[in-house]
Amino acid sequence: MAIIDARTLPDASHLEADLVIIGGGLAGITLAKELAGGPLKVVVLESGGREMEPETQALYAGACVQKADGNKDRPLHEFPVQSRVRALGGSGHVWGGKCGPLDPADFAERAWIPYSGWPISREAMQPYYDRACDMLEIDRFPPERPNAAEASLQPLALDARDGFFPAPRLFARISGRTDRPAFDRFRTQFAEAPNIDVYLYANVVRIRRERNTITGLDIACLDGKRHKAKATRYVLATGGIENVRLLLASDNLGNRHDLVGRFFQGHVTYSNDSDAQREGSAFAASRAEPLDLYAPALRYGPHCVIGAGLAAQKRMKTGNFTATLFRANFSNADAKVAAETQTISKVSAQLDKGQAQPNLLGFFAMTEHFPHPESRITLDQSQKDALGMPRVNLTWVHGKKDYDDLERSIDGLAAAMGAAGEGRLCWSLRRDELLASSNASRHHMGTTRMHADPRKGVVDADGRLHEANNLYVAGSSVFPTSGIVNPTLTILALTIRLADHLKSEKKAA
Amino acid sequence: MSTRRDLLAALVALAAAPSLSQAQTSGFLPGLDKDAARRIGEAWRKAHPGDTAKTLVAKLFPTGRGPEALPRLRRAMAADFRAGAIFAHRGWRLSNTEGALFALVSMET
């Protein structure tokens, strides 16, 4: 019905609805869009305004350190602020629009990966992925290959037994960094529905419960006003870090088995440039023709990454892995290193395919970040924000298996490419350089993981908190494992699935 | 652009010639940086100090450098990659066979 500034309400207002969505980011908005025009009266509570504002953004401040096997700890204390946006539309403001579904292997329970396995299959997710694609106005990702991005372009001819495959990626224009008017329509138009109200500057600071039922929410505005909200059901959709913060700050809600905040997973990319001693991360393709399927001329165009499917993972006893190829400038390298790179790539192209001019490309690697119980978010009760909420402390852990698997995957891909006569891979990063050479993404996953067993997960397969019969969690915090692809499409797909569940519950009631 | 036939001819020439420098004049990989190739070969030799030009020729070209040499080399390279017989140079993952080829180049130039 409207977008309302909660600061303009009389102090101590009481908001009532059938459903309250806490958080107006991409998950919260997707849920509201799915419920728009329906019978449920929906209230969305968003902490920020329409745009990013320093005072609101400062509520995110906390501490973060990355720890990794054989590497020096890396403090990233700006990460809690810089990796998210606290405004209507959430981190969609800075999202680049990259979309892809998780792979079937990501959903599978893999015996060699502790804590792996989703209570949903990739196949069951297909209709929700389709609807998420429709919502974002991008082509769908059919379960069978090739998809639209691959159809007219030739993939690398790797041996199918190696298990590497071209994994498609598309870009949605509905993102803050791509098509601002389209993004603005996406994040505001749903509020015109008669059953939807969006409140801005409305910070939920406490979830109240009696036994297993949520009974209401405490809302605080930075100008000092305080309000209450009450509903039949609630959905927590404030992101992979803030979902934890609010649960823990609400008397450890959902944390009976000490799982809330654990298993934090974040994607990182690994790559390096050349120096006087070595070449950087590079791929010398032995083909004469450009590899447009993987490294299109248009940087943000549809493309494929080279992914490790379940067969590859089983064979190498690794997790998911991708190599993203891109057009790179090799002209600034050390003269000797550059000459050797040229020599290696020319000789291998000649030997492989009789080509005199190979394609020299850059690449970056990504691996699934494995669930690790000590990779976790806790609250620092000695540090409070302007609303009195304890600040977060993120300890982001990469274990030995994370790096073992990265290196084994790189070697496996290099071997598959060489054996197929498709080219040579260059990877010169040492183990003790990996953390410092990695780039952290803005993907926060796993901290309220989904599992049918309350001793192993915070929410059930529907996203409902095991400890509360009327509170659901939306967003990437429910991912049991991280996969590799950007999580946004899966966040939307899971949220659409949740919307269907909430509608069916309403009908049943 | 060179063709497989060019390379084949070059390998044949390499077999007939006493050294790579002579083979290069007959068109082996035009534009090949001999110094770079030699450095790569020397790096492989450091890890395989026992090999001589004679033993390398015997390994790489057991039946001579005739028309069948290239497909045999390709099979050997694929087998190396499958078996994990990898020579890593400045980060590049090469087959051991390629490393030996560069080593032979380094000895013959």
Side-chain angles (χ1 to χ4, degrees):
Chain A
M1 219 154 40
I3 297 178
I4 302 154
D5 185 335
R7 298 171 302 186
T8 65
L9 299 173
D11 193 25
S13 290
H14 285 253
L15 312 177
E16 295 214 3
D18 295 312
L19 179 77
V20 170
I21 302 170
I22 308 166
L26 289 178
I29 287 171
T30 297
L31 184 57
K33 285 167 87 75
E34 285 291 307
L35 300 174
L40 291 173
K41 178 175 166 44
V42 177
V43 159
V44 179
L45 300 174
E46 165 54 43
S47 163
R50 288 174 186 259
E51 306 300 332
M52 218 179 346
E53 296 168 37
E55 196 180 13
T56 309
Q57 199 66 15
L59 296 170
Y60 274 152
C64 172
V65 63
Q66 284 184 303
K67 294 175 176 289
D69 177 61
N71 283 251
K72 189 178 170 188
D73 289 357
R74 180 162 74 163
L76 281 180
H77 295 313
E78 296 304 313
F79 183 78
V81 175
Q82 291 184 346
S83 65
R84 344 179 240 173
V85 175
R86 200 165 173 131
L88 186 62
S91 297
H93 282 266
V94 293
W95 178 44
K98 191 186 272 189
C99 289
L102 290 170
D103 300 330
D106 295 323
F107 293 89
E109 185 171 351
R110 292 158 289 171
W112 58 96
I113 300 175
Y115 309 104
S116 63
W118 289 49
I120 316 169
S121 69
R122 170 68 178 81
E123 189 181 15
M125 285 292 290
Q126 185 61 36
Y128 306 109
Y129 274 130
D130 288 346
R131 286 163 62 187
C133 290
D134 296 347
M135 186 179 277
L136 290 171
E137 300 173 15
I138 57 172
D139 289 340
R140 293 179 174 183
F141 293 90
E144 70 283 359
R145 298 186 191 96
N147 81 343
E150 297 172 61
S152 60
L153 300 168
Q154 192 64 31
L156 290 165
L158 303 181
D159 190 326
R161 289 170 299 180
D162 286 326
F164 292 101
F165 71 101
R169 303 288 188 259
L170 299 176
F171 287 88
R173 68 188 176 92
I174 299 173
S175 77
R177 279 171 43 180
T178 308
D179 184 337
R180 193 73 201 186
F183 178 62
D184 287 344
R185 285 193 296 277
F186 183 87
R187 70 190 177 113
T188 58
Q189 271 186 348
F190 70 95
E192 294 169 8
N195 64 321
I196 307 274
D197 279 325
V198 177
Y199 291 89
L200 302 179
Y201 303 103
N203 298 278
V204 174
V205 292
R206 186 180 179 84
I207 302 170
R208 296 193 175 274
R209 68 166 160 175
E210 287 177 14
R211 295 178 177 273
N212 290 336
T213 300
I214 305 304
T215 56
L217 306 172
D218 293 355
I219 300 167
C221 302
L222 279 167
D223 69 352
K225 284 185 176 170
R226 299 291 181 265
H227 307 301
K228 303 269 189 197
K230 186 174 174 55
T232 311
R233 291 176 294 178
Y234 304 81
V235 175
L236 179 58
T238 60
I241 297 174
E242 217 63 9
N243 283 351
V244 170
R245 187 181 184 193
L246 192 48
L247 289 172
L248 294 180
S250 300
D251 292 332
N252 271 322
L253 180 57
N255 200 28
R256 186 176 298 153
H257 297 287
D258 190 22
L259 294 172
V260 174
R262 292 190 184 271
F263 303 101
F264 175 87
Q265 294 151 67
H267 293 140
V268 297
T269 61
Y270 301 93
S271 65
N272 67 318
D273 292 325
S274 64
D275 58 30
Q277 302 301 322
R278 58 190 176 173
E279 185 52 83
S281 47
F283 173 54
S286 294
R287 292 168 178 241
E289 63 270 23
L291 285 173
D292 285 342
L293 178 63
Y294 303 92
L298 180 64
R299 178 90 190 264
Y300 297 105
H303 67 281
C304 287
V305 298
I306 303 168
L310 189 56
Q313 295 179 34
K314 270 185 182 168
R315 184 174 57 81
M316 299 187 292
K317 289 289 176 285
T318 56
N320 206 339
F321 163 85
T322 62
T324 302
L325 308 183
F326 57 90
R327 299 179 185 209
N329 182 359
F330 285 81
S331 63
N332 295 327
D334 172 87
K336 280 187 178 177
V337 171
E340 290 173 29
T341 288
Q342 290 295 332
T343 299
I344 286 168
S345 54
K346 281 180 181 175
V347 168
S348 59
Q350 278 282 5
L351 291 169
D352 283 350
K353 296 187 186 299
Q355 295 293 343
Q357 288 301 324
N359 276 311
L360 205 49
L361 299 164
F363 89 93
F364 63 81
M366 291 180 75
T367 50
E368 175 179 3
H369 180 201
F370 297 123
H372 191 300
E374 295 310 314
S375 186
R376 67 183 299 202
I377 296 163
T378 53
L379 298 188
D380 183 349
Q381 298 292 347
S382 69
Q383 299 288 323
K384 302 280 177 71
D385 70 12
L387 298 172
M389 291 280 284
R391 296 196 182 279
V392 294
N393 195 340
L394 168 59
T395 304
W396 182 348
V397 176
H398 279 85
K400 183 172 183 299
K401 181 171 171 56
D402 287 291
Y403 284 175
D404 285 349
D405 282 24
L406 168 64
E407 291 169 350
R408 209 156 53 238
S409 299
I410 295 266
D411 288 339
L413 180 60
M417 286 173 160
E422 285 287 11
R424 303 292 178 272
L425 208 64
C426 183
W427 179 256
S428 56
L429 280 170
R430 296 190 314 269
R431 171 72 65 105
D432 63 357
E433 298 175 308
L434 287 174
L435 183 56
S437 305
S438 65
N439 288 307
S441 73
R442 291 185 289 265
H443 310 158
H444 321 116
M445 298 163 284
T447 48
T448 63
R449 68 198 321 263
M450 180 187 283
H451 201 286
D453 183 343
R455 291 165 302 179
K456 297 180 179 175
V458 176
V459 302
D460 67 15
D462 293 320
R464 189 179 63 83
L465 204 73
H466 281 296
E467 283 184 31
N469 53 33
N470 61 341
L471 175 62
Y472 294 82
V473 181
S476 53
S477 65
V478 305
F479 291 12
T481 53
S482 63
I484 286 180
V485 71
N486 301 50
T488 305
L489 188 69
T490 302
I491 291 172
L492 265 63
L494 280 174
T495 304
I496 292 167
R497 181 174 174 271
L498 172 59
D500 282 5
H501 176 77
L502 294 170
K503 287 177 196 170
S504 68
E505 267 194 344
K506 170 71 176 172
K507 277 184 189 165
Chain B
M1 180 182 293
S2 299
T3 65
R4 286 170 190 249
R5 187 173 292 277
D6 295 332
L7 181 62
L8 201 58
L11 287 166
V12 172
L14 190 59
S19 73
L20 183 73
S21 53
Q22 281 180 274
Q24 276 197 307
T25 59
S26 65
F28 179 64
L29 290 171
L32 182 71
D33 185 321
K34 282 191 293 183
D35 291 337
R38 190 174 59 245
R39 288 196 299 274
I40 299 165
E42 285 168 355
W44 186 87
R45 287 167 62 195
K46 270 190 184 172
H48 302 80
D51 277 305
T52 63
K54 193 175 174 183
T55 61
L56 287 178
V57 168
K59 283 180 186 172
L60 294 168
F61 306 107
T63 57
R65 303 187 205 192
E68 74 284 6
L70 180 60
R72 189 189 310 111
L73 280 173
R74 296 207 62 223
R75 284 196 300 273
M77 287 158 45
D80 284 351
F81 281 117
R82 290 270 168 241
I86 301 300
F87 163 54
H89 179 69
R90 296 197 196 275
W92 287 104
R93 265 56 167 177
L94 305 179
S95 66
N96 204 35
T97 298
E98 288 168 286
L101 271 172
F102 279 114
L104 189 58
V105 169
S106 74
M107 292 174 184
E108 295 187 340
T109 54

